[in-house]
Amino acid sequence: MAPATESPAALLEMRGIEKSYPGVRALDGVDLTVREGEVAALVGENGAGKSTLIKILAGAQHMDRGEIRLGGAPVRVDSPSDAMELGIRVIYQEFNLVPQLTVMENIFLGREPTKAGLVDFRRMEAECAGLLDRVGAEARPRDLVGRLSVAQQQLVEIAKALSQDARILVLDEPSATLTERELDRLFGLIRDLRDHGVGMIYISHRLEEIFEIADTVTVLRDGAHVITAPTSSLTREDIIRHMVGRELKDHIPSTTAHTAGEALRVEGLTRRGHFHDVNFVVREGEIVALAGLVGSGRTEVARAIFGADPVDAGRILVSGQEARIASPRDSISHGIGLATEDRKSQGLVLGLGVSANVTLADLRAISRRGLLSRTLESRAADEYIDQLKIRTPSRAQLVRLLSGGNQQKVVLAKWLFTDSKVLILDEPTRGIDVGTKTEIYSLMNDLCDRGKAILMISSELPEILGVAHRIYVMREGALVGELAREDATQERIMDLATGGSNG
């Protein structure tokens, strides 16, 4: 009688992991198992404990209680160097690369091959070329990392991990800034690594990716382990229910536009080399989306309207009056707010608390006789913490310690505090869990009901179709089409964005 087929051995076991911070229980007895040649998805709302668990695995945080076993043997991971020696590599959303160094210098940083006491550049280049070929990177060993695309930098990070004989590879939101073609290439690489026995933890808020690439799914909620199950045994609705603890139907709630007068008009806006002759209108009480592929010029247009970048030609009108905007300060004075795509480096001051960030764009509103009033600042922060359901131990909590979804809510609170007439939201739900996405969609609808005008940039077509009342499509720096909600489909948007013939 043939022996029963056994499942692959457990490569990584994290058992009963506990971690607390002042006022917050981040992890409460969490378990996670990854087997050889397995892609284990780790999902949960922002603040569920995913990042804390991974930081403990990477040696960046110390657990209060629990056990980590590798290949069946207990191990201690007290530092990142311990994790590296054990073959554990984490590729975070913010890459750990030095832009000023070459690809090969980044891959072998601190581990350069030597010959006669000197760095052996010939050997380093040859080994680097082999690693780049393995991961399918187009970059060359002597290319400067700072000049590579995000997708190529990500492949350099993976090549670096493979050069260190990674047994466990953690990919944290790897698709956040990738095109569909780049994502397909990444998935091909992940499958190849799986075939070679590497165990992987895949963290993503995009559930469609989980079903395409993951073998198992582990769900965390409020710092606790909810379920681990084969991906094939779950539906999208199952995962959402486990993440949020309730049924979440119609997670993109739409609303009817109640349009009034023009809030924002752009005429002939041009910035040479970036976009040209852009014309569109956003009315009070509607959400207008700018769709298009990465590099189509959407973000560049938003930055120009906000005064972050200069323009060569064109006019911007707010409420029918021409607005001369040469800086973000001018834009704010005209009632325009911009929630940037990169909230951490451009939308927030991570070293300040929630209250300071909420009021940062209008300090005069919380000043009396030229001095900041902590009472007014606290009152404003408490109002928006309550209104936007910002999950924070206190208004003084440093913003860098909040989850991504709560950081985004703080950004939105900042512009609500300035009472902006026009809100430009660049990728407003990127890196945010499905439950918090629903809250942000509902907030956007509420703002429209209050007469605000919203210009939204998004790379997620279901989001655009579910939220926007009208859609402008950009391609290669130009507006190439306008679609009403009832006429729009993913196919029509992509046809316009890629230069097809059916737009």
Side-chain angles (χ1 to χ4, degrees), residues 407-422:
Q407 287 179 348
Q408 184 71 324
K409 289 182 180 180
V410 173
V411 173
L412 294 175
K414 176 176 68 175
W415 296 119
L416 295 182
F417 179 67
T418 66
D419 197 27
S420 298
K421 306 171 192 173
V422 179

Side-chain angles (χ1 to χ4, degrees), residues 229-360:
T231 309
S232 58
S233 70
L234 298 170
T235 65
R236 176 187 175 86
E237 289 69 28
D238 291 334
I239 294 178
I240 292 173
R241 185 177 68 254
H242 290 308
M243 285 172 58
V244 303
R246 63 187 188 279
E247 296 286 348
L248 192 60
K249 297 178 180 177
D250 189 19
H251 76 280
I252 303 183
S254 61
T255 186
T256 302
H258 303 288
T259 56
E262 289 185 2
L264 174 69
R265 175 179 283 272
V266 171
E267 295 181 347
L269 205 64
T270 298
R271 186 174 185 225
R272 283 190 289 273
H274 298 275
F275 54 85
H276 57 277
D277 195 26
V278 172
N279 300 270
F280 62 81
V281 173
V282 186
R283 299 180 180 88
E284 297 170 2
E286 74 169 347
I287 300 172
V288 171
L290 270 184
L293 302 178
V294 173
S296 62
R298 301 167 304 164
T299 293
E300 289 79 2
V301 168
R303 287 177 56 84
I305 294 171
F306 191 64
D309 294 326
V311 297
D312 298 306
R315 296 199 307 160
I316 299 170
L317 292 86
V318 178
S319 299
Q321 300 295 315
E322 184 168 357
R324 299 194 178 278
I325 296 174
S327 69
R329 178 177 294 180
D330 295 336
S331 182
I332 293 170
S333 70
H334 285 290
I336 301 175
L338 170 64
T340 61
E341 178 182 15
D342 186 351
R343 57 179 170 265
K344 289 188 177 181
S345 66
Q346 299 175 8
L348 297 165
V349 180
L350 298 179
L352 295 181
V354 172
S355 56
N357 272 277
V358 167
T359 57
L360 192 60

